Amino acid sequence: MVFSSVPFLFYFLPIFLTAYFLSPGTLLKNVLLLAFSLVFYAWGEPVFVYFMILSIAFNYLIALLFQASNPLARAAYLAIGVASNLAFLAFFKYSAFFVDNWNHAVGDILRLEPGQPIALPIGISFFTFQAISFLIDTWRREVQPERNPLHVAVYISMFPQLVAGPIVRFKTVSAQLHRRRTTYGRAAAGLRIFLIGLAQKVLIADEVAQIADAVFDKVQAPAFLEAWLGLTAYTVQIYFDFAGYSNMAIGIGIALGFTFPRNFRLPYTSKSVTEFWRRWHMSLSAWFRDYLYIPLGGSLGSRLATYCNLVTVFLLCGLWHGASWNFIVWGAHHGAFLVAERAGLGRILQRAPPVARWGYAMLAVISGWVWFRASDLERAGSVFAGLIGLNGLKGLSIPTHLAVYPTSVTALVAGISLATLLRDRTHSVSTATHRIAHHHIAFPLLAVIAVIAVLKVASSTYSPFLYFRF
């Protein structure tokens, strides 16, 4: 089930919110939230609910073992817990990738049988990272040990951010699991943020997706203008698709009395790749910083050690996104730019005009999206060839021409404008999106946009969020 679908908007969400707000006390609200979350997750593939329940039970029991007084025992339990979560993730997500690459490396000598493809549980990367966060935060004693299994179950399975983030730390919501404030005012504010996210998804991301899909999937060798058009469309699509989901999740969270972390802060206004990663998928970059980069030594060691830590983090960040060499290369792409900026490029950029710094950052980021979107390395090479004119300068091919029509072009222009021209001078949760949602002048416009977005959902086919596959 996805947020931008008829079953969710017209059945699941209204029934859930009605039951939730009519339920007295936090205990019953948590029971309802858990029950509806499991139904939400089971909608597409019921069997994976059992894996979710197994993950909840395992991580709860490991956290209870942290009560041991022996430091070595506590460390051993943490190692077992984290390793088991990662092994669970690796089995589903990377086993086929490992077998394929092993077979390519060894030939017929020690060849492994590929076996049947393993179905990937939706959102496994997100809820696995949340489970690891729960274990580490508890082990570090940054939160009180959680003895109530219901609270752990709600935290790991909570449907608003379950399948595509933002990644919520246990210490962020642990107090709210015990007691939280739910009012109709918060519900109304959350609903407005939810509707903004819905509009970002269905009115911008889904419209420009048709251009991106045509160029990346249907054109063998895109020409210069065509390649840039497709890449620009995907740059807009992935931002508004993912930011739209994040706003929808944050909006539902606010309505339920939770405070979820901000996930985007106008990343396409960045003037360096370093700044981009402070604005893009902020919950993931913060997770890697706190649970991997800093434990590796961060920037406290030598320059070479710092560079190695950065590259390691971003190679794993790329691999986290998918079992493909394209994602690994995408991670290496960003890691290389971050190392270059720390090694001296950043100081050079500081002396350049703002527009030049912005142009550099955008070129670095959007060229990386080629690796991220292309189906394989060969396809990425074809798109890169088109971007530099090696595939010719001719006009649009038939598939791309058919995808370019008034609504998709309007969505592309609107997306570029909203992503690059808005300015946000605050680092708090009161983002530009949230301020618009609370501004009384925006209510009529938001109402019109919401009606159009809902009508679009009602008349469209199934359109999952891009990050569902991660």
Side-chain angles (χ1 to χ4, degrees):
M1 189 185 301
V2 298
F3 292 163
S4 56
S5 66
V6 169
F8 182 84
L9 289 177
F10 293 96
Y11 302 104
F12 182 92
L13 188 61
I15 294 172
F16 166 71
L17 291 178
T18 300
Y20 186 86
F21 281 101
L22 290 177
S23 300
T26 303
L27 174 60
L28 190 52
K29 282 179 165 57
N30 281 341
V31 171
L32 277 169
L33 181 53
L34 174 60
F36 275 82
S37 294
L38 294 178
V39 170
F40 178 89
Y41 194 74
W43 187 266
E45 187 58 65
V47 68
F48 288 133
V49 170
Y50 297 107
F51 292 103
M52 168 75 71
I53 295 172
L54 177 63
S55 174
I56 291 168
F58 172 79
N59 286 287
Y60 171 72
L61 292 174
I62 289 292
L64 289 181
L65 293 174
F66 291 160
Q67 306 307 307
S69 57
N70 187 331
L72 291 178
R74 294 181 74 249
Y77 292 138
L78 176 65
I80 292 170
V82 173
S84 298
N85 277 289
L86 293 177
F88 177 75
L89 175 64
F91 171 75
F92 281 100
K93 195 166 184 175
Y94 304 110
S95 55
F97 178 68
F98 169 78
V99 170
D100 288 345
N101 282 278
W102 174 270
N103 288 340
H104 277 99
V106 302
D108 295 328
I109 303 174
L110 298 172
R111 185 176 179 83
L112 299 174
E113 288 300 323
Q116 295 297 323
I118 301 174
L120 184 67
I122 295 175
I124 185 173
S125 297
F126 287 93
F127 72 73
T128 299
F129 270 27
Q130 292 201 172
I132 292 174
S133 164
F134 165 68
L135 293 180
I136 295 177
D137 289 352
T138 304
W139 182 79
R140 289 175 175 173
R141 296 192 171 95
E142 294 180 355
V143 293
Q144 292 295 322
E146 184 54 73
R147 297 184 178 277
N148 189 334
L150 175 62
H151 293 160
V152 179
V154 170
Y155 165 68
I156 293 178
S157 69
M158 203 182 322
F159 79 84
Q161 41 64 243
L162 172 63
V163 293
I167 299 172
V168 179
R169 311 282 187 89
F170 183 69
K171 61 184 178 183
T172 302
V173 297
S174 59
Q176 295 165 356
L177 289 167
H178 291 264
R179 185 177 181 180
R180 55 188 177 273
R181 185 165 172 256
T182 54
T183 66
Y184 290 107
R186 287 178 62 91
L191 178 61
R192 291 193 290 270
I193 296 170
F194 176 88
L195 291 173
I196 289 175
L198 179 66
Q200 289 177 311
K201 161 65 176 171
V202 302
L203 299 183
I204 296 181
D206 286 354
E207 288 294 332
V208 302
Q210 299 176 69
I211 300 176
D213 291 347
V215 173
F216 278 91
D217 298 334
K218 299 177 182 178
V219 181
Q220 191 66 29
F224 180 75
L225 292 177
E226 188 171 39
W228 278 104
L229 176 63
L231 181 55
T232 303
Y234 184 70
T235 299
V236 171
Q237 179 197 1
I238 192 170
Y239 172 49
F240 282 94
D241 190 283
F242 195 15
Y245 182 95
S246 294
N247 279 327
M248 295 165 84
I250 290 169
I252 296 175
I254 290 174
L256 303 185
F258 291 97
T259 302
F260 293 162
R262 185 176 178 181
N263 219 19
F264 292 89
R265 188 163 61 88
L266 296 174
Y268 291 157
T269 63
S270 303
K271 296 180 176 63
S272 68
V273 176
T274 301
E275 183 184 356
F276 173 80
W277 278 102
R278 293 172 183 154
R279 294 173 174 270
W280 175 274
H281 204 344
M282 296 158 64
S283 63
L284 177 67
S285 55
W287 195 99
F288 272 107
R289 179 197 65 207
D290 294 342
Y291 297 126
L292 183 60
Y293 180 68
I294 291 176
L296 285 174
S299 57
L300 297 180
S302 64
R303 286 190 177 184
L304 180 60
T306 299
Y307 300 158
C308 289
N309 292 340
L310 281 171
V311 171
T312 299
V313 166
F314 275 88
L315 286 174
L316 291 175
C317 179
L319 189 60
W320 176 87
H321 280 85
S324 164
W325 283 106
N326 280 50
F327 291 116
I328 295 174
V329 173
W330 174 78
H333 174 98
H334 279 271
F337 276 104
L338 290 170
V339 167
E341 289 178 8
R342 277 184 174 265
L345 179 58
R347 291 189 295 273
I348 296 174
L349 289 172
Q350 288 299 320
R351 295 193 291 269
V355 66
R357 285 154 42 204
W358 174 80
Y360 149 78
M362 285 302 299
L363 186 61
V365 169
I366 66 176
S367 61
W369 290 137
V370 176
W371 303 112
F372 201 89
R373 174 59 179 82
S375 56
D376 51 41
L377 295 177
E378 181 180 359
R379 183 66 188 148
S382 176
V383 175
F384 275 119
L387 293 174
I388 59 177
L390 295 182
N391 294 337
L393 304 175
K394 59 182 182 296
L396 303 181
S397 62
I398 293 177
T400 306
H401 182 76
L402 293 175
V404 175
Y405 49 91
T407 53
S408 62
V409 173
T410 301
L412 183 61
V413 172
I416 293 172
S417 302
L418 291 171
T420 60
L421 298 181
L422 289 178
R423 289 294 178 267
D424 180 21
R425 294 181 174 83
T426 177
H427 293 259
S428 70
V429 176
S430 181
T431 66
T433 299
H434 297 189
R435 290 197 302 272
I436 291 172
H438 285 79
H439 202 292
H440 68 279
I441 297 177
F443 285 179
L445 177 60
L446 179 58
V448 172
I449 292 174
V451 170
I452 296 173
V454 171
L455 290 175
K456 179 78 162 45
V457 170
S459 62
S460 299
T461 56
Y462 176 75
S463 177
F465 291 87
L466 294 179
Y467 265 67
F468 270 31
R469 61 193 176 110
F470 302 139

